[in-house]
């Protein structure tokens, strides 16, 4: 029996006049029915957040930290239940869903720790010039106002956590809008927030359909927008509200570079295993999944068959099975799009080494070589379990190939040379360089975001807290310093 899920309006459960169904992309079964807020209910939530913003900003740090700690503990206690829901609504294999819950546990714990030390203030003597004699400046960070958090489907819990937890930590009200395909995880998060002592109105989880989002985006009472999703949508949001503060975490075309010094059998086995796993985890539906392998010609012929074998060893099937590595994509339409991009590349001359088969919403893990440079799959984010492998001659050519993209989220560089690592860090036009591993590594406390068309701003709890606040200076006069 499935459930009907209410949304959360200013900290309390509510239902609207309409609803929609959430289905499992693996077997089509109904996961749950979700209520949709009316326009009047959305207005009530926004008005409540706007009204409480000063009270919430003044909430003692221990209150905000205690609420964040509570959510972290309750997520840990309900890990299996929530992981099953993520897997059901998203199609994510259960082992990855459990990992997502674990990451959200950490995000709320990190936010509780940051809340306790946030806004300690920085004192600056101003008597370095005569006009500043007896003056001291104290700088604090102040919330910009209510945050509109727009979450994606691929990490429905953890990427919601990355919007909600930093907002609570700084005392900024937040209205969270989950993805229509995967709203239930965020609604469960609302259950846990409702168990805390946070002020009424300081948070809402609104299952608003995408077509009604422009009005929320334009609302002047929501001065901060944190969006994770596609580039066209993200930049359309930013262009429509140029005076708002926008953080955009957008797409990628993740490259893993394997250089000539990464050449032992053990090295190549490790690289192939990591590449195969992280080109296919979450069905490839991660902004930092491995989409491109750029291998030095000295290791290419030994690496390529290892990658193909490791990809073919990925277990594809029922996401509820703990043995499954690769489940379905979020929808059959998503799988059809991936299929069309692969077919285009093969038609243009790419070599299909394994995979290339669709079954409903499932697309087989796929490896392509000799992909023509201007095919769609070479240039755009595939967001599916597809990997291209390219031969290059030397470090300079490899780094140029990484940079030959409109995206710049993260890159992985397999090298043992620390000097090469520093050159990569300087040369690669990305937000993060992961040395000795794939670009898919992310620790939830580190700064995370991209360059070029991969977005603006940074996630990672402390860095998002900076994005949600601004510096305000207090100057004290007549002091004996």
């Amino acid at each position: 029996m499935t459930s009907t899920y209410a949304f959360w309006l200013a900290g309390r459960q509510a239902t609207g006049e309409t609803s929609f169904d959430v289905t499992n992309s693996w077997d089509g079964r109904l996961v749950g029915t979700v209520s949709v807020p009316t326009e009047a209910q959305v207005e009530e939530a926004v008005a409540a957040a706007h009204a409480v913003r000063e009270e919430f900003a003044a909430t003692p740090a221990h209150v905000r930290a205690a609420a964040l700690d509570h959510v972290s503990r309750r997520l840990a206690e309900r890990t299996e239940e929530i992981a099953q829901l993520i897997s059901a609504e998203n199609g994510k294999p259960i082992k990855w869903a459990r990992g997502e819950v674990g990451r959200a546990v950490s995000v709320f714990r990190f936010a509780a720790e940051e809340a306790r030390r946030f806004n300690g203030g920085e004192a600056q003597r101003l008597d370095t010039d005569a006009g500043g004699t007896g003056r001291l400046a104290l700088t604090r960070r102040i919330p910009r106002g209510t945050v509109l958090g727009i979450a994606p489907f691929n990490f429905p819990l953890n990427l919601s956590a990355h919007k909600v937890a930093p907002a609570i930590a700084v005392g900024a009200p937040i209205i969270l809008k989950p993805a229509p395909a995967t709203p239930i995880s965020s609604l469960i998060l609302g259950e846990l927030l409702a168990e805390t002592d946070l002020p009424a109105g300081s948070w809402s989880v609104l299952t608003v359909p995408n077509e009604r989002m422009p009005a929320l985006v334009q609302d002047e009472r929501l001065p901060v927008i944190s969006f994770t999703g596609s580039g066209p949508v993200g930049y359309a949001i930013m262009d429509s509200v140029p005076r708002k503060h926008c953080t955009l975490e957008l797409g990628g075309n993740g490259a893993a570079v394997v250089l000539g010094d990464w050449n032992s059998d053990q090295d190549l086995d490790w690289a192939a295993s990591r590449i195969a796993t992280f080109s296919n985890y979450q069905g490839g539906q991660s902004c930092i999944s491995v989409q491109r392998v750029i291998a030095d010609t000295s290791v290419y012929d030994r690496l390529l068959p290892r990658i193909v074998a490791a990809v073919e060893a990925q277990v594809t099937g029922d996401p509820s099975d703990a043995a499954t590595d690769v489940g379905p994509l979020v929808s059959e339409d998503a799988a059809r799009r991936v299929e069309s991009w692969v077919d285009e590349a093969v038609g243009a001359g790419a070599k299909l080494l394994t995979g290339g088969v669709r079954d409903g919403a499932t697309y087989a893990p796929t490896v392509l070589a000799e992909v023509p440079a201007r095919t769609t799959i070479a240039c755009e984010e595939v967001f599916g379990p597809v990997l291209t492998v390219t031969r290059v001659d030397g470090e300079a050519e490899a780094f140029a190939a990484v940079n030959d993209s409109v995206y710049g989220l993260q890159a992985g560089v397999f090298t043992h040379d620390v000097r090469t690592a520093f050159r990569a860090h300087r040369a690669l036009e990305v937000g993060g360089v992961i040395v000795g591993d794939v670009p898919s590594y992310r620790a939830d406390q580190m700064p995370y975001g991209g360059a070029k068309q991969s977005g603006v701003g940074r996630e990672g709890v402390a860095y998002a807290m900076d994005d949600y606040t601004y510096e305000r200076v207090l100057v004290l006069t007549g002091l004996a310093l």
Side-chain angles (χ1 to χ4, degrees):
M1 183 174 180
T2 57
S3 300
T4 298
Y5 293 89
F7 52 86
W8 292 90
L9 194 167
R12 70 179 194 280
Q13 281 190 308
T15 55
E17 298 169 354
T18 60
S19 62
F20 63 93
D21 292 337
V22 177
T23 58
N24 184 302
S25 62
W26 169 253
D27 56 18
R29 65 184 167 88
L30 179 65
V31 179
T33 299
V34 176
S35 187
V36 177
T38 65
E39 290 185 8
Q41 288 170 319
V42 172
E43 167 58 29
E44 183 181 349
V46 174
H50 188 68
V52 81
R53 67 194 190 284
E54 292 184 10
E55 175 191 346
F56 194 30
T59 302
H62 71 86
V63 173
R64 287 179 275 118
L68 293 161
D69 273 330
H70 175 84
V71 174
S72 179
R73 287 193 302 270
R74 294 288 284 132
L75 284 170
E77 291 167 2
R78 296 177 64 177
T79 291
E80 188 61 25
E81 170 202 352
I82 297 172
Q84 294 287 347
L85 275 172
I86 292 172
S87 181
E89 67 174 346
N90 175 278
K92 180 175 298 191
I94 187 63
K95 69 178 182 181
W96 296 116
R98 289 171 181 143
E100 180 175 349
V101 180
R103 289 179 61 187
V105 169
S106 295
V107 168
F108 277 93
R109 187 180 73 250
F110 296 151
E113 294 165 357
E114 293 293 345
R116 291 185 176 96
R117 57 177 168 254
F118 177 70
N119 233 343
E122 178 183 340
Q124 181 182 16
R125 293 181 65 137
L126 301 180
D127 61 353
T128 50
D129 282 323
T133 300
R135 296 180 186 267
L136 182 76
L138 181 67
T139 303
R140 299 168 63 196
R141 297 198 70 87
I142 307 299
R144 297 177 186 272
T146 301
V147 177
L148 174 60
I150 306 172
F153 72 81
N154 57 332
F155 290 86
L157 178 69
N158 195 43
L159 293 184
S160 293
H162 270 286
K163 301 183 187 309
V164 173
I168 293 172
V170 301
I174 181 162
I175 292 175
L176 177 68
K177 188 270 185 197
T182 56
I184 299 175
S185 308
S186 296
L187 295 173
I188 297 298
L189 185 58
E191 289 184 21
L192 308 186
L193 289 167
E195 297 170 356
T196 71
D197 294 326
L198 294 174
S202 62
W203 61 273
S204 293
V205 183
L206 301 182
T207 48
V208 178
N210 289 343
E211 59 269 20
R212 286 172 51 194
M213 282 305 294
L216 266 177
V217 168
Q218 293 289 334
D219 197 305
E220 293 182 357
R221 295 167 295 178
L222 305 173
V224 180
I225 297 176
S226 177
F227 171 85
T228 302
S230 73
V233 175
Y235 285 118
I237 288 172
M238 189 167 69
D239 290 345
S240 73
V241 285
R243 291 177 177 82
K244 290 195 177 191
H245 186 86
C246 294
T247 298
L248 306 179
E249 198 278 281
L250 306 177
N253 190 345
V257 175
V258 184
L259 293 174
D261 69 313
W262 197 270
N263 56 18
S264 72
D265 287 339
Q266 183 179 3
D267 285 343
L268 297 177
D269 287 344
W270 163 257
S273 172
R274 298 293 284 178
I275 288 165
T277 297
F278 290 98
S279 63
N280 294 293
Y281 85 127
Q282 331 285 343
Q285 297 169 122
S286 168
C287 297
I288 47 175
S289 66
V290 185
Q291 184 172 331
R292 297 181 292 158
V293 175
I294 298 165
D296 188 85
T297 190
S298 64
V299 297
Y300 180 93
D301 290 331
R302 294 167 58 212
L303 176 65
L304 184 58
R306 285 174 160 89
I307 291 175
V308 172
V311 167
E312 290 177 341
Q314 296 287 301
V315 178
T316 303
D318 184 346
S320 66
D321 186 337
T324 296
D325 298 309
V326 187
L329 275 69
V330 71
S331 68
E332 190 166 346
D333 283 347
R336 287 196 189 99
R337 178 190 55 75
V338 173
E339 179 182 42
S340 71
W341 288 15
V342 172
D343 290 348
E344 177 205 11
V346 172
K351 289 187 176 180
L352 177 65
L353 302 182
T354 190
V357 178
R358 181 180 65 83
D359 181 8
T362 300
Y363 197 79
T366 297
V367 179
L368 298 169
E370 300 179 22
V371 177
R374 296 306 162 201
T375 54
T376 305
I377 211 162
C379 302
E380 299 297 329
E381 179 181 37
V382 66
F383 227 58
V386 180
L387 181 67
T388 68
V389 187
T390 301
R391 184 195 301 266
V392 294
D393 188 8
E395 175 188 308
E397 189 175 329
F399 291 174
V402 174
N403 290 340
D404 186 21
S405 173
V406 298
Y407 299 106
L409 193 47
Q410 292 195 161
V413 180
F414 288 89
T415 181
H416 294 292
D417 190 333
V418 69
R419 293 168 298 180
T420 301
F422 274 86
R423 287 195 297 270
H425 193 229
R426 183 177 62 250
L428 297 181
E429 298 166 353
V430 295
V433 177
I434 314 300
V435 175
D437 206 349
V438 292
S440 316
Y441 177 79
R442 177 183 180 183
D444 290 286
Q445 70 271 38
M446 79 184 199
Y448 175 76
K452 299 191 284 190
Q453 292 185 26
S454 287
V456 294
R458 291 294 181 267
E459 289 188 342
V461 175
Y463 304 92
M465 290 167 68
D466 282 346
D467 256 333
Y468 292 173
T469 56
Y470 68 94
E471 292 176 322
R472 182 182 291 172
V473 177
L474 172 69
V475 176
L476 301 175
T477 304
L479 302 178
L481 300 177

